[in-house]
């Protein structure tokens, strides 16, 4: 069965600093990978996704992520964090041809210092 | 266009009562998912509907949980004889047939006293 690990439960960065959120997955084949963001009291919003092709994917709000098969990782990055980026971030893996239900990591809560 | 909607947004119930949670998917989306987000378990898959096929119930935690999808659109998640450990946010997502991206609703926060 697939699994997703987000090693960092909480991360605090200063506004304007760069950000990297870690995600490691376990899956026997090439996974479908997603990053979602959840603001307080809100549902999940898709930031970006990787299915195949270019391993560096661009998303909304200036986020990008890089798929590294050798490291089973799909880390999320942003060069300059804004206060509005404070939220919880979830990495997920989807299983194609099995309904595509998502397996989520435990989430990383991002706090942004002014 | 309209996104996935869920009702109620908040539900408080007493232990042992039954509850029904509703999900209205995006029009035309053939797939519908229910997930649960709780402090202890994180985000976990519950059940999946695809068109007229039998649902995938592999994520339901007990036989107190059931769901149906009428007319390939609206879905209702029912929890019978609620327990305190059922307290969580229940998220619904839908997906069109030609993509693998799920679109999530705002969730229903269930509190069992």
């Amino acid at each position: 069965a697939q699994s997703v690990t987000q090693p960092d439960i909480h991360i605090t960065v200063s506004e304007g600093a760069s950000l990297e959120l870690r995600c490691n997955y376990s899956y026997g084949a090439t996974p479908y990978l997603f990053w979602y963001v959840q603001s307080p009291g809100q549902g999940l919003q898709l930031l970006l996704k990787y299915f195949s092709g270019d391993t560096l994917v661009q998303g909304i709000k200036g986020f990008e992520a890089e798929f590294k098969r050798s490291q089973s990782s799909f880390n999320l990055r942003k060069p300059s964090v804004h206060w509005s980026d404070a939220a919880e971030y979830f990495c997920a893996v989807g299983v194609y041809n099995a309904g595509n239900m998502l397996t989520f990591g435990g989430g990383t809560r991002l706090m942004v210092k002014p | 266009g309209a996104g996935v909607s869920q009702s109620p947004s908040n539900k408080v119930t007493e232990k042992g009562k039954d509850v029904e949670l509703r999900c209205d998917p995006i029009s035309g989306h053939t797939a519908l998912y229910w997930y649960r987000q709780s402090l202890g378990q994180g985000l976990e898959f519950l059940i999946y509907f695809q068109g007229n096929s039998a649902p995938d119930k592999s994520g339901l935690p007990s036989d107190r949980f059931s769901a149906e999808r009428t007319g390939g659109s609206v879905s209702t998640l029912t929890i019978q004889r609620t327990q305190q450990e059922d307290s969580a946010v229940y998220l619904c997502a839908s997906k069109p047939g030609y993509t693998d991206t799920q679109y999530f609703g705002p969730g229903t926060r269930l509190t069992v006293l």
Side-chain angles (χ1 to χ4, degrees), chain B:
Chain B
V4 177
S5 61
Q6 294 185 244
S7 60
S9 56
N10 283 282
K11 176 71 176 179
V12 180
T13 191
E14 294 179 346
K15 178 182 173 181
K17 295 289 181 67
D18 298 350
V19 295
E20 287 188 347
L21 312 180
R22 177 187 170 103
C23 172
D24 283 89
I26 295 172
S27 178
H29 283 195
T30 57
L32 187 147
Y33 305 78
W34 283 98
Y35 294 87
R36 179 170 70 174
Q37 185 174 23
S38 59
L39 283 177
Q41 302 298 320
L43 265 161
E44 51 183 350
F45 162 77
L46 296 177
I47 188 168
Y48 157 64
F49 296 88
Q50 174 60 59
N52 296 319
S53 303
D56 180 337
K57 306 178 183 180
S58 60
L60 294 179
S62 79
D63 58 7
R64 297 185 296 103
F65 287 74
S66 63
E68 63 177 19
R69 189 179 185 192
T70 55
S73 181
V74 172
S75 177
T76 302
L77 177 69
T78 301
I79 309 174
Q80 296 178 311
R81 305 180 303 281
T82 52
Q83 304 294 313
Q84 288 182 332
E85 60 263 30
D86 300 334
S87 295
V89 176
Y90 289 82
L91 294 166
C92 176
S94 69
K95 180 179 80 66
Y98 53 84
T99 178
D100 291 285
T101 300
Q102 297 178 29
Y103 297 86
F104 283 80
T108 293
R109 179 174 297 277
L110 174 67
T111 303
V112 182
L113 301 177

